Amino acid sequence: MKNERLLGFVRSFSSFLAVDRSEPAILVEGARLLASLVEQDDWLQEEFARPDPTFYQQYLLYADPLERFSMVSFVWGPGQKTPVHDHMTWGLIGMLRGQELDTRFHLQADGSLKPGETRILAPGQVAYVSPATHDVHQVANYYSDQTSISIHVYGGNIGRISRHVFDPSTGTPKTFISGYGNDVVPNLWR
Amino acid sequence: MKNERLLGFVRSFSSFLAVDRSEPAILVEGARLLASLVEQDDWLQEEFARPDPTFYQQYLLYADPLERFSMVSFVWGPGQKTPVHDHMTWGLIGMLRGQELDTRFHLQADGSLKPGETRILAPGQVAYVSPATHDVHQVANYYSDQTSISIHVYGGNIGRISRHVFDPSTGTPKTFISGYGNDVVPNLWR
Ligand SMILES: [Fe+3]
Ligand SMILES: [Fe+3]
Ligand SMILES: [Mg+2]
């Protein structure tokens, strides 16, 4: 059963969310479960770990039918990076393979967005974003010569949420809905 | 969005089951939702509709992470049929394409199982099984020259349930766990 670990996460997190929870409680428990999921890199099916030569890939792994949470694998080809963007919901990032560079952006008095703290995520590490604290960042593959993969969990169906990318020099937002690249998701019982 | 209809079923049925329900209520509401799912045959992804030359196929379409229900597509090649079997949980059968012949089996005083009522299911029709009423049947493709497909919903994770096939002449049960043939399931948001 390759997907046993992924099933374990989905099952535990679904049970946890079945009770009404506050965001801080969700982030603490979610980070604990996600850290345990990414502490070993032996479970992600190859078709959800495949980089694309041109764009970073976001593969849906699981979404709650009532959209209480979703999980994706983010697959970075060498040197790939996101635009500066927000999420409009909490998000957890668990590093599975390779490393990524996470840069937070902060709104300035003139409306522009300035890069602030950066963090390099190594395998097994977990980070988060949230509209309640900081929601705007840019993420890049730390490597210019290898694939990196992180597992993200969001407080909604991330592929369907209307959110924003920003031109940091002006701060101008552009609405976007990311969608998903994959027609199929893992069978958790295989 | 090809999977919109499937998503609609999963979402509605998940919401319905979130409240504790009696089996009769589940069967009534489940049959209503399933009838509406199979009333049009324009949504099942080709890879979950593919017959195998030798064996009938059972593709997982969705399973609740807490195993409150599961959904499969049953794909019958020409002339294929199941052994006489039980389910150990309620099950709903919605006919999507082609026709199937459903034969109920009844326990006799000498321990053997005798075929009783038969029913031909046409597209759009819904039938059910249940340990509370009759749980032992045999299902066959009605056609010897074309594929038939039905969509099944069960009150548990059917691929993981320990249940039985029977030799009808003696009634001797053999334990079996069906498993699933597919490594991936539909992305409900595509
Ligand atoms: Fe992000
Ligand atoms: Fe059956
Ligand atoms: Mg495939």
Side-chain angles (χ1 to χ4, degrees):
Chain A
M1 260 274 297
K2 270 216 112 183
N3 285 330
E4 190 114 50
R5 294 172 65 79
L6 181 55
L7 171 62
F9 180 94
V10 170
R11 194 188 315 215
S12 301
F13 201 56
S14 297
S15 299
F16 182 79
L17 290 183
V19 178
D20 258 329
R21 309 285 185 176
S22 66
E23 183 174 303
I26 292 170
L27 289 176
V28 168
E29 178 66 3
R32 193 185 70 75
L33 291 170
L34 185 56
S36 134
L37 178 63
V38 297
E39 111 198 331
Q40 271 175 263
D41 178 14
D42 60 359
W43 55 269
L44 185 63
Q45 280 172 246
E46 194 279 333
E47 72 181 285
F48 308 111
R50 211 173 279 156
D52 174 273
T54 317
F55 298 109
Y56 64 88
Q57 297 295 299
Q58 175 178 284
Y59 298 108
L60 181 67
L61 297 181
Y62 179 80
D64 177 69
L66 305 181
E67 305 192 320
R68 285 168 293 203
F69 76 102
S70 59
M71 292 183 76
V72 300
S73 59
F74 242 81
V75 182
W76 310 96
Q80 292 174 353
K81 62 169 186 280
T82 67
V84 177
H85 66 277
D86 67 10
H87 312 82
M88 306 290 282
T89 180
W90 61 260
L92 288 158
I93 300 156
M95 203 69 213
L96 184 69
R97 191 178 304 173
Q99 293 196 132
E100 67 187 32
L101 181 68
D102 182 350
T103 306
R104 295 186 188 176
F105 279 73
H106 300 281
L107 186 62
Q108 305 300 302
D110 66 0
S112 70
L113 288 161
K114 262 223 177 93
E117 315 85 318
T118 62
R119 183 177 172 190
I120 294 167
L121 284 180
Q125 290 187 326
V126 172
Y128 76 97
V129 292
S130 164
T133 49
H134 63 279
D135 192 31
V136 178
H137 72 165
Q138 179 171 44
V139 187
N141 190 346
Y142 181 75
Y143 294 108
S144 56
D145 59 355
Q146 66 177 78
T147 297
S148 291
I149 301 178
S150 52
I151 306 299
H152 299 202
V153 182
Y154 299 96
N157 188 349
I158 195 64
R160 287 301 187 87
I161 292 173
S162 178
R163 47 199 184 112
H164 311 91
V165 294
F166 301 92
D167 174 342
S169 64
T170 61
T172 309
K174 213 180 88 185
T175 298
F176 93 113
I177 296 174
S178 63
Y180 296 116
N182 51 318
D183 282 337
V184 292
V185 300
N187 177 345
L188 300 177
W189 291 272
R190 288 279 286 190
Chain B
M1 261 276 295
K2 269 216 115 184
N3 286 329
E4 190 114 49
R5 294 172 66 79
L6 181 56
L7 171 61
F9 180 95
V10 170
R11 193 188 317 215
S12 302
F13 200 57
S14 296
S15 300
F16 182 79
L17 290 183
V19 178
D20 258 332
R21 308 285 186 176
S22 66
E23 183 175 301
I26 291 170
L27 289 176
V28 168
E29 179 66 4
R32 193 184 70 75
L33 292 170
L34 185 56
S36 133
L37 178 62
V38 297
E39 112 199 329
Q40 271 174 266
D41 179 13
D42 60 357
W43 55 270
L44 185 62
Q45 280 172 248
E46 193 278 332
E47 70 182 285
F48 307 111
R50 212 173 279 157
D52 175 273
T54 318
F55 299 107
Y56 65 87
Q57 296 296 299
Q58 175 178 286
Y59 298 107
L60 180 68
L61 298 181
Y62 179 79
D64 177 68
L66 305 180
E67 305 193 319
R68 285 167 294 202
F69 75 102
S70 59
M71 291 183 77
V72 301
S73 58
F74 242 82
V75 181
W76 310 95
Q80 291 174 354
K81 64 169 186 279
T82 67
V84 178
H85 66 276
D86 68 11
H87 312 82
M88 307 291 283
T89 180
W90 61 259
L92 287 159
I93 301 156
M95 203 68 212
L96 184 69
R97 190 178 305 174
Q99 293 196 132
E100 67 188 32
L101 180 68
D102 183 350
T103 305
R104 295 186 188 175
F105 278 73
H106 299 281
L107 186 63
Q108 306 300 302
D110 66 0
S112 70
L113 288 162
K114 261 222 177 95
E117 314 85 318
T118 63
R119 183 176 171 191
I120 293 167
L121 284 181
Q125 289 185 328
V126 172
Y128 76 97
V129 292
S130 163
T133 48
H134 63 280
D135 192 31
V136 179
H137 72 165
Q138 179 172 43
V139 188
N141 190 347
Y142 180 74
Y143 294 107
S144 56
D145 59 355
Q146 65 177 77
T147 297
S148 291
I149 302 178
S150 52
I151 306 299
H152 298 203
V153 182
Y154 299 96
N157 188 348
I158 194 66
R160 288 300 188 87
I161 292 173
S162 178
R163 47 200 183 111
H164 311 90
V165 294
F166 300 92
D167 174 344
S169 63
T170 61
T172 309
K174 212 180 88 185
T175 297
F176 91 113
I177 295 175
S178 63
Y180 296 115
N182 51 318
D183 282 337
V184 292
V185 301
N187 178 345
L188 300 178
W189 290 273
R190 287 278 286 192

